[in-house]
Amino acid sequence: MTTTKKLKWLLVLVLIFGGFAVYKFFGVLATDLSLKEYTWLFKIVSEFGLFLSVIISVGYVHHWLIAEEEHRESEKNLRATLETYVNNVLFNSVKRGFLGITNKEFDFSQIMSGLKPGDYVYWMITFDPRFKNKSRELENAIKNGVHFRLMILKAGSRIGELRATEAAGFNPHEFNEYSKLFKVSLEDVIGRIDDSIKGSIGVFIYDGLPCIPFFIIIRNESKKVSVYNSFYLTEPVSKMPYLNWETVLKLGNQSAFESDDWNLADLFFDYFKTRWEIEKSRLDTDDRAGQNESDDFICAPASAKKLCSTLYNE
């Protein structure tokens, strides 16, 4: 109990017992014949003391025996009302993990600053033209023990050309150059990560369907999964707001969609794992064929290639 609450309850007790003391004291004075001319005043003060003591006592009892139960019942009814109406209006979005929408642009710096050692970050995107200015934050996070797994679009791919034709402010040539720059920026970070670093980064360069851009954070300490996703529309994705979802980390082979309590964040998580495994199987095939170097996979530390190609808790 805080000091303020203690003082409040002390005041209540003072008023109860003080009022009763006033009632008794002035009641005695009212019967004193030597003070007969003040009897009317003593009676008024005595009755007021009794009134104060009784009222405060009733309020005290109501608070402890009735009000707390009424408060719990009100909370229960409010919760049921919100679940019945608000959640239905939002098409069960709360149940499915929806937390809200970011501001107009996704705040990469804010996400980076909230990461802790042992966390994993999955990121699937075509490219991010702002990344050159944010690469230092990625590097610092890796050095602090965070593990990154990225999937970025291959420069010169047919998919990139198609995306460039629908995105405002780009043509296929510019889109291709940004794709190259994004990879070069990542390679620049990778070049500064050595074997003494606790974190890791693995990057697959894909040429398949880009799906939608999304960013998954797996918090090792709380076992929470936060997902941010946007959409490939006419605006470059770097200028788009992101939807935010959250779920509890679930490991195993059961499909999240098979459960009645499926969560959209789980579906993003499963999708990334599926796409990652597709690319990883190609890498394993190259390794078995003796092709140890692949332009479609870059990682750091360089000596931990197997670690860098694995996901959380594999």
Side-chain angles (χ1 to χ4, degrees), residues 123 125-133 150-157 160-161 163-164 167-187 203 205 232 236-239 298:
W123 190 11
I125 198 170
T126 52
F127 65 84
D128 188 342
R130 307 166 302 170
F131 183 75
K132 185 68 175 176
N133 300 324
L150 279 69
M151 296 188 68
I152 64 174
L153 187 63
K154 181 180 294 187
S157 68
E161 182 181 342
R163 172 61 186 149
F170 287 102
N171 59 50
H173 175 72
E174 289 173 323
F175 193 95
N176 189 49
E177 291 302 308
Y178 271 117
S179 297
K180 291 178 181 178
L181 178 62
F182 191 37
K183 181 185 177 185
V184 169
S185 298
L186 289 171
E187 288 173 331
V203 184
I205 296 90
Y232 288 120
V237 72
S238 60
K239 296 182 179 180
I298 52 177

Short mmCIF file of all heavy atoms in Angstrom, two decimals, residues 123 125-133 150-157 160-161 163-164 167-187 203 205 232 236-239 298:
data_model
loop_
_atom_site.label_atom_id
_atom_site.label_comp_id
_atom_site.label_asym_id
_atom_site.label_seq_id
_atom_site.Cartn_x
_atom_site.Cartn_y
_atom_site.Cartn_z
N TRP A 123 13.32 -10.43 -41.99
CA TRP A 123 12.93 -9.28 -42.81
C TRP A 123 12.85 -9.72 -44.26
O TRP A 123 13.83 -10.21 -44.82
CB TRP A 123 13.95 -8.16 -42.64
CG TRP A 123 13.56 -6.83 -43.22
CD1 TRP A 123 12.33 -6.47 -43.70
CD2 TRP A 123 14.40 -5.68 -43.36
NE1 TRP A 123 12.35 -5.16 -44.13
CE2 TRP A 123 13.60 -4.65 -43.94
CE3 TRP A 123 15.73 -5.42 -43.06
CZ2 TRP A 123 14.11 -3.39 -44.21
CZ3 TRP A 123 16.24 -4.16 -43.34
CH2 TRP A 123 15.43 -3.16 -43.90
N ILE A 125 11.81 -8.29 -48.06
CA ILE A 125 11.56 -7.04 -48.76
C ILE A 125 12.18 -7.13 -50.15
O ILE A 125 12.94 -8.04 -50.45
CB ILE A 125 12.17 -5.86 -47.95
CG1 ILE A 125 11.60 -4.51 -48.37
CG2 ILE A 125 13.69 -5.89 -48.01
CD1 ILE A 125 11.99 -3.37 -47.45
N THR A 126 11.84 -6.18 -51.03
CA THR A 126 12.56 -6.08 -52.30
C THR A 126 13.89 -5.37 -52.01
O THR A 126 14.97 -5.96 -52.06
CB THR A 126 11.75 -5.28 -53.34
OG1 THR A 126 11.34 -4.02 -52.77
CG2 THR A 126 10.52 -6.06 -53.76
N PHE A 127 13.81 -4.08 -51.62
CA PHE A 127 14.97 -3.33 -51.14
C PHE A 127 14.44 -2.14 -50.36
O PHE A 127 13.26 -1.81 -50.42
CB PHE A 127 15.86 -2.85 -52.30
CG PHE A 127 15.19 -1.85 -53.19
CD1 PHE A 127 15.16 -0.51 -52.89
CD2 PHE A 127 14.56 -2.27 -54.37
CE1 PHE A 127 14.52 0.42 -53.71
CE2 PHE A 127 13.92 -1.36 -55.20
CZ PHE A 127 13.90 -0.02 -54.87
N ASP A 128 15.31 -1.50 -49.60
CA ASP A 128 14.94 -0.30 -48.85
C ASP A 128 15.91 0.81 -49.24
O ASP A 128 17.08 0.78 -48.86
CB ASP A 128 15.01 -0.56 -47.35
CG ASP A 128 14.45 0.61 -46.53
OD1 ASP A 128 14.34 1.71 -47.09
OD2 ASP A 128 14.13 0.40 -45.35
N PRO A 129 15.46 1.80 -50.01
CA PRO A 129 16.38 2.85 -50.47
C PRO A 129 16.94 3.71 -49.34
O PRO A 129 17.93 4.40 -49.53
CB PRO A 129 15.50 3.68 -51.43
CG PRO A 129 14.10 3.41 -50.99
CD PRO A 129 14.09 2.00 -50.52
N ARG A 130 16.32 3.66 -48.16
CA ARG A 130 16.81 4.45 -47.03
C ARG A 130 17.90 3.72 -46.26
O ARG A 130 18.51 4.29 -45.35
CB ARG A 130 15.67 4.74 -46.05
CG ARG A 130 14.43 5.37 -46.67
CD ARG A 130 13.28 5.28 -45.69
NE ARG A 130 13.01 3.89 -45.34
CZ ARG A 130 12.18 3.52 -44.35
NH1 ARG A 130 11.55 4.43 -43.65
NH2 ARG A 130 12.00 2.24 -44.09
N PHE A 131 18.14 2.46 -46.58
CA PHE A 131 18.95 1.62 -45.72
C PHE A 131 20.39 2.11 -45.58
O PHE A 131 21.01 1.89 -44.54
CB PHE A 131 18.94 0.17 -46.24
CG PHE A 131 19.71 -0.75 -45.36
CD1 PHE A 131 19.19 -1.17 -44.15
CD2 PHE A 131 20.98 -1.18 -45.72
CE1 PHE A 131 19.91 -2.00 -43.31
CE2 PHE A 131 21.71 -2.03 -44.90
CZ PHE A 131 21.16 -2.44 -43.69
N LYS A 132 20.93 2.74 -46.59
CA LYS A 132 22.31 3.23 -46.53
C LYS A 132 22.53 4.08 -45.28
O LYS A 132 23.59 4.03 -44.65
CB LYS A 132 22.63 4.05 -47.79
CG LYS A 132 24.07 4.51 -47.90
CD LYS A 132 25.02 3.35 -48.12
CE LYS A 132 26.44 3.84 -48.35
NZ LYS A 132 27.41 2.75 -48.48
N ASN A 133 21.51 4.84 -44.89
CA ASN A 133 21.62 5.71 -43.72
C ASN A 133 21.32 4.96 -42.41
O ASN A 133 21.48 5.52 -41.33
CB ASN A 133 20.66 6.89 -43.85
CG ASN A 133 20.95 7.74 -45.07
OD1 ASN A 133 22.11 7.93 -45.44
ND2 ASN A 133 19.91 8.25 -45.71
N LEU A 150 17.51 -12.08 -43.47
CA LEU A 150 16.90 -11.23 -44.48
C LEU A 150 16.68 -11.98 -45.78
O LEU A 150 17.47 -12.86 -46.15
CB LEU A 150 17.79 -10.01 -44.77
CG LEU A 150 17.73 -8.82 -43.82
CD1 LEU A 150 18.33 -9.15 -42.47
CD2 LEU A 150 18.46 -7.62 -44.45
N MET A 151 15.62 -11.59 -46.47
CA MET A 151 15.39 -12.04 -47.84
C MET A 151 15.15 -10.80 -48.69
O MET A 151 14.22 -10.04 -48.44
CB MET A 151 14.19 -12.99 -47.91
CG MET A 151 14.39 -14.28 -47.13
SD MET A 151 13.06 -15.48 -47.41
CE MET A 151 13.37 -15.90 -49.13
N ILE A 152 16.05 -10.59 -49.68
CA ILE A 152 15.95 -9.41 -50.53
C ILE A 152 15.89 -9.84 -51.99
O ILE A 152 16.38 -10.91 -52.36
CB ILE A 152 17.15 -8.46 -50.30
CG1 ILE A 152 18.46 -9.11 -50.72
CG2 ILE A 152 17.22 -8.04 -48.83
CD1 ILE A 152 19.66 -8.17 -50.67
N LEU A 153 15.28 -8.99 -52.80
CA LEU A 153 15.07 -9.33 -54.21
C LEU A 153 16.37 -9.22 -55.01
O LEU A 153 17.14 -8.29 -54.84
CB LEU A 153 14.01 -8.40 -54.80
CG LEU A 153 13.54 -8.72 -56.22
CD1 LEU A 153 12.85 -10.08 -56.25
CD2 LEU A 153 12.59 -7.64 -56.70
N LYS A 154 16.55 -10.17 -55.88
CA LYS A 154 17.76 -10.20 -56.72
C LYS A 154 17.70 -9.09 -57.76
O LYS A 154 16.69 -8.88 -58.43
CB LYS A 154 17.89 -11.56 -57.41
CG LYS A 154 19.13 -11.69 -58.30
CD LYS A 154 19.21 -13.05 -58.96
CE LYS A 154 19.42 -14.15 -57.95
NZ LYS A 154 19.67 -15.47 -58.59
N ALA A 155 18.81 -8.37 -57.90
CA ALA A 155 18.90 -7.32 -58.91
C ALA A 155 18.80 -7.93 -60.31
O ALA A 155 19.36 -8.99 -60.57
CB ALA A 155 20.21 -6.56 -58.75
N GLY A 156 18.08 -7.26 -61.19
CA GLY A 156 17.96 -7.72 -62.57
C GLY A 156 16.91 -8.79 -62.79
O GLY A 156 16.77 -9.29 -63.91
N SER A 157 16.16 -9.12 -61.75
CA SER A 157 15.14 -10.18 -61.90
C SER A 157 13.91 -9.64 -62.63
O SER A 157 13.64 -8.43 -62.64
CB SER A 157 14.73 -10.73 -60.53
OG SER A 157 14.04 -9.74 -59.79
N GLY A 160 11.52 -7.83 -60.30
CA GLY A 160 11.89 -6.45 -60.02
C GLY A 160 11.46 -5.51 -61.12
O GLY A 160 11.00 -4.39 -60.87
N GLU A 161 11.59 -5.95 -62.35
CA GLU A 161 11.17 -5.14 -63.49
C GLU A 161 9.66 -4.88 -63.44
O GLU A 161 9.20 -3.76 -63.69
CB GLU A 161 11.54 -5.85 -64.78
CG GLU A 161 11.19 -5.07 -66.04
CD GLU A 161 11.55 -5.80 -67.31
OE1 GLU A 161 12.37 -6.75 -67.23
OE2 GLU A 161 11.02 -5.45 -68.37
N ARG A 163 7.74 -4.95 -60.75
CA ARG A 163 7.45 -4.09 -59.60
C ARG A 163 7.78 -2.64 -59.94
O ARG A 163 7.05 -1.71 -59.57
CB ARG A 163 8.25 -4.56 -58.38
CG ARG A 163 8.19 -3.64 -57.17
CD ARG A 163 6.78 -3.46 -56.66
NE ARG A 163 6.75 -2.46 -55.59
CZ ARG A 163 5.73 -1.66 -55.34
NH1 ARG A 163 4.63 -1.73 -56.05
NH2 ARG A 163 5.79 -0.80 -54.35
N ALA A 164 8.87 -2.43 -60.67
CA ALA A 164 9.30 -1.07 -61.01
C ALA A 164 8.27 -0.35 -61.87
O ALA A 164 8.09 0.87 -61.76
CB ALA A 164 10.64 -1.12 -61.73
N ALA A 167 5.45 1.02 -59.42
CA ALA A 167 5.81 1.89 -58.30
C ALA A 167 6.11 3.30 -58.80
O ALA A 167 6.88 3.49 -59.74
CB ALA A 167 7.02 1.32 -57.57
N ALA A 168 5.51 4.28 -58.16
CA ALA A 168 5.71 5.68 -58.56
C ALA A 168 7.15 6.09 -58.28
O ALA A 168 7.72 5.76 -57.24
CB ALA A 168 4.75 6.57 -57.78
N GLY A 169 7.75 6.82 -59.21
CA GLY A 169 9.09 7.35 -59.01
C GLY A 169 10.22 6.42 -59.40
O GLY A 169 11.39 6.73 -59.19
N PHE A 170 9.89 5.26 -59.98
CA PHE A 170 10.93 4.32 -60.38
C PHE A 170 10.73 3.90 -61.83
O PHE A 170 9.62 3.86 -62.34
CB PHE A 170 10.90 3.05 -59.51
CG PHE A 170 11.41 3.25 -58.11
CD1 PHE A 170 10.52 3.36 -57.05
CD2 PHE A 170 12.77 3.33 -57.84
CE1 PHE A 170 10.98 3.53 -55.76
CE2 PHE A 170 13.24 3.49 -56.56
CZ PHE A 170 12.33 3.61 -55.50
N ASN A 171 11.84 3.58 -62.45
CA ASN A 171 11.79 2.85 -63.72
C ASN A 171 12.64 1.60 -63.52
O ASN A 171 13.36 1.49 -62.53
CB ASN A 171 12.30 3.73 -64.89
CG ASN A 171 13.73 4.19 -64.69
OD1 ASN A 171 14.62 3.39 -64.39
ND2 ASN A 171 13.97 5.49 -64.84
N PRO A 172 12.57 0.62 -64.42
CA PRO A 172 13.30 -0.64 -64.21
C PRO A 172 14.79 -0.46 -63.94
O PRO A 172 15.36 -1.17 -63.11
CB PRO A 172 13.05 -1.40 -65.50
CG PRO A 172 11.70 -0.93 -65.95
CD PRO A 172 11.66 0.53 -65.59
N HIS A 173 15.42 0.50 -64.62
CA HIS A 173 16.86 0.71 -64.42
C HIS A 173 17.14 1.21 -63.00
O HIS A 173 18.03 0.68 -62.31
CB HIS A 173 17.40 1.71 -65.44
CG HIS A 173 18.85 2.05 -65.20
ND1 HIS A 173 19.88 1.17 -65.46
CD2 HIS A 173 19.43 3.19 -64.70
CE1 HIS A 173 21.03 1.74 -65.14
NE2 HIS A 173 20.78 2.96 -64.69
N GLU A 174 16.39 2.22 -62.54
CA GLU A 174 16.59 2.76 -61.19
C GLU A 174 16.31 1.70 -60.13
O GLU A 174 17.04 1.56 -59.14
CB GLU A 174 15.68 3.97 -60.97
CG GLU A 174 16.09 5.20 -61.75
CD GLU A 174 15.05 6.30 -61.62
OE1 GLU A 174 13.84 6.00 -61.58
OE2 GLU A 174 15.47 7.48 -61.53
N PHE A 175 15.24 0.94 -60.35
CA PHE A 175 14.88 -0.12 -59.42
C PHE A 175 16.01 -1.13 -59.30
O PHE A 175 16.37 -1.56 -58.19
CB PHE A 175 13.59 -0.80 -59.89
CG PHE A 175 12.94 -1.69 -58.87
CD1 PHE A 175 11.93 -1.21 -58.05
CD2 PHE A 175 13.33 -3.01 -58.72
CE1 PHE A 175 11.32 -2.02 -57.11
CE2 PHE A 175 12.74 -3.85 -57.80
CZ PHE A 175 11.73 -3.34 -56.98
N ASN A 176 16.58 -1.49 -60.42
CA ASN A 176 17.68 -2.46 -60.45
C ASN A 176 18.91 -1.91 -59.71
O ASN A 176 19.58 -2.63 -58.97
CB ASN A 176 18.02 -2.81 -61.89
CG ASN A 176 19.00 -3.97 -62.00
OD1 ASN A 176 18.80 -5.00 -61.37
ND2 ASN A 176 20.05 -3.79 -62.79
N GLU A 177 19.20 -0.64 -59.91
CA GLU A 177 20.36 -0.03 -59.26
C GLU A 177 20.17 0.03 -57.75
O GLU A 177 21.12 -0.18 -56.98
CB GLU A 177 20.61 1.38 -59.82
CG GLU A 177 21.09 1.39 -61.27
CD GLU A 177 22.39 0.59 -61.43
OE1 GLU A 177 23.34 0.85 -60.67
OE2 GLU A 177 22.43 -0.30 -62.30
N TYR A 178 18.95 0.34 -57.30
CA TYR A 178 18.67 0.36 -55.86
C TYR A 178 18.80 -1.04 -55.27
O TYR A 178 19.27 -1.20 -54.14
CB TYR A 178 17.27 0.92 -55.60
CG TYR A 178 17.24 2.42 -55.43
CD1 TYR A 178 16.54 3.23 -56.31
CD2 TYR A 178 17.92 3.04 -54.37
CE1 TYR A 178 16.50 4.61 -56.16
CE2 TYR A 178 17.89 4.41 -54.21
CZ TYR A 178 17.18 5.20 -55.10
OH TYR A 178 17.15 6.57 -54.94
N SER A 179 18.38 -2.04 -56.02
CA SER A 179 18.52 -3.42 -55.55
C SER A 179 19.99 -3.77 -55.34
O SER A 179 20.37 -4.40 -54.34
CB SER A 179 17.89 -4.40 -56.55
OG SER A 179 16.50 -4.18 -56.67
N LYS A 180 20.82 -3.36 -56.29
CA LYS A 180 22.26 -3.60 -56.17
C LYS A 180 22.84 -2.85 -54.96
O LYS A 180 23.65 -3.40 -54.20
CB LYS A 180 22.98 -3.15 -57.44
CG LYS A 180 22.69 -4.00 -58.66
CD LYS A 180 23.44 -3.42 -59.88
CE LYS A 180 23.15 -4.22 -61.15
NZ LYS A 180 23.86 -3.63 -62.32
N LEU A 181 22.42 -1.59 -54.79
CA LEU A 181 22.93 -0.77 -53.70
C LEU A 181 22.55 -1.36 -52.34
O LEU A 181 23.35 -1.34 -51.40
CB LEU A 181 22.40 0.66 -53.83
CG LEU A 181 22.81 1.64 -52.73
CD1 LEU A 181 24.34 1.81 -52.72
CD2 LEU A 181 22.13 3.00 -52.94
N PHE A 182 21.34 -1.89 -52.27
CA PHE A 182 20.89 -2.49 -51.01
C PHE A 182 21.78 -3.68 -50.63
O PHE A 182 22.22 -3.81 -49.49
CB PHE A 182 19.43 -2.93 -51.16
CG PHE A 182 18.76 -3.34 -49.88
CD1 PHE A 182 19.03 -2.68 -48.68
CD2 PHE A 182 17.84 -4.37 -49.85
CE1 PHE A 182 18.42 -3.05 -47.49
CE2 PHE A 182 17.21 -4.75 -48.68
CZ PHE A 182 17.50 -4.08 -47.49
N LYS A 183 22.07 -4.52 -51.62
CA LYS A 183 22.94 -5.67 -51.35
C LYS A 183 24.34 -5.21 -50.98
O LYS A 183 24.96 -5.74 -50.03
CB LYS A 183 22.99 -6.58 -52.58
CG LYS A 183 23.86 -7.82 -52.35
CD LYS A 183 24.00 -8.67 -53.60
CE LYS A 183 24.92 -9.85 -53.36
NZ LYS A 183 25.19 -10.64 -54.57
N VAL A 184 24.86 -4.21 -51.68
CA VAL A 184 26.20 -3.70 -51.39
C VAL A 184 26.26 -3.14 -49.97
O VAL A 184 27.25 -3.34 -49.24
CB VAL A 184 26.62 -2.62 -52.41
CG1 VAL A 184 27.88 -1.89 -51.95
CG2 VAL A 184 26.85 -3.25 -53.78
N SER A 185 25.21 -2.44 -49.55
CA SER A 185 25.16 -1.88 -48.20
C SER A 185 25.18 -2.98 -47.15
O SER A 185 25.85 -2.86 -46.12
CB SER A 185 23.91 -1.02 -48.03
OG SER A 185 23.90 0.06 -48.93
N LEU A 186 24.47 -4.07 -47.41
CA LEU A 186 24.48 -5.20 -46.49
C LEU A 186 25.86 -5.86 -46.46
O LEU A 186 26.35 -6.25 -45.40
CB LEU A 186 23.40 -6.22 -46.90
CG LEU A 186 21.96 -5.80 -46.67
CD1 LEU A 186 21.01 -6.80 -47.32
CD2 LEU A 186 21.64 -5.69 -45.18
N GLU A 187 26.47 -6.00 -47.63
CA GLU A 187 27.81 -6.59 -47.70
C GLU A 187 28.83 -5.72 -46.95
O GLU A 187 29.78 -6.25 -46.35
CB GLU A 187 28.23 -6.76 -49.15
CG GLU A 187 27.48 -7.88 -49.87
CD GLU A 187 27.78 -7.94 -51.36
OE1 GLU A 187 28.10 -6.88 -51.95
OE2 GLU A 187 27.72 -9.05 -51.92
N VAL A 203 21.63 -13.61 -45.27
CA VAL A 203 20.81 -12.94 -46.29
C VAL A 203 20.68 -13.83 -47.52
O VAL A 203 21.69 -14.19 -48.14
CB VAL A 203 21.44 -11.59 -46.72
CG1 VAL A 203 20.52 -10.87 -47.71
CG2 VAL A 203 21.71 -10.71 -45.49
N ILE A 205 19.23 -13.95 -51.35
CA ILE A 205 18.78 -13.09 -52.44
C ILE A 205 17.86 -13.93 -53.33
O ILE A 205 18.31 -14.88 -53.96
CB ILE A 205 19.97 -12.54 -53.25
CG1 ILE A 205 20.85 -11.63 -52.37
CG2 ILE A 205 19.48 -11.74 -54.44
CD1 ILE A 205 21.95 -12.34 -51.64
N TYR A 232 2.78 -3.81 -51.33
CA TYR A 232 3.39 -3.27 -52.54
C TYR A 232 2.29 -2.61 -53.37
O TYR A 232 1.56 -3.26 -54.12
CB TYR A 232 4.07 -4.39 -53.34
CG TYR A 232 5.32 -4.90 -52.69
CD1 TYR A 232 5.44 -6.24 -52.32
CD2 TYR A 232 6.40 -4.04 -52.44
CE1 TYR A 232 6.59 -6.71 -51.72
CE2 TYR A 232 7.56 -4.51 -51.84
CZ TYR A 232 7.65 -5.84 -51.48
OH TYR A 232 8.80 -6.30 -50.88
N PRO A 236 6.34 3.73 -53.14
CA PRO A 236 7.45 2.88 -52.69
C PRO A 236 7.20 2.43 -51.26
O PRO A 236 6.70 3.19 -50.43
CB PRO A 236 8.67 3.81 -52.78
CG PRO A 236 8.28 4.86 -53.77
CD PRO A 236 6.80 5.04 -53.61
N VAL A 237 7.53 1.20 -50.95
CA VAL A 237 7.22 0.64 -49.64
C VAL A 237 7.92 1.40 -48.52
O VAL A 237 7.47 1.40 -47.38
CB VAL A 237 7.57 -0.85 -49.61
CG1 VAL A 237 9.08 -1.07 -49.59
CG2 VAL A 237 6.91 -1.52 -48.42
N SER A 238 9.02 2.07 -48.82
CA SER A 238 9.72 2.85 -47.79
C SER A 238 8.89 4.03 -47.30
O SER A 238 9.17 4.59 -46.23
CB SER A 238 11.06 3.36 -48.34
OG SER A 238 10.85 4.18 -49.48
N LYS A 239 7.88 4.41 -48.06
CA LYS A 239 7.02 5.54 -47.67
C LYS A 239 5.67 5.07 -47.10
O LYS A 239 4.83 5.89 -46.76
CB LYS A 239 6.76 6.45 -48.88
CG LYS A 239 8.01 7.12 -49.42
CD LYS A 239 7.65 8.03 -50.59
CE LYS A 239 8.88 8.74 -51.12
NZ LYS A 239 8.55 9.64 -52.26
N ILE A 298 24.66 -14.49 -48.49
CA ILE A 298 25.78 -13.81 -47.85
C ILE A 298 25.53 -13.81 -46.35
O ILE A 298 24.37 -13.77 -45.90
CB ILE A 298 25.96 -12.37 -48.37
CG1 ILE A 298 24.63 -11.58 -48.27
CG2 ILE A 298 26.46 -12.35 -49.80
CD1 ILE A 298 24.75 -10.13 -48.70
#
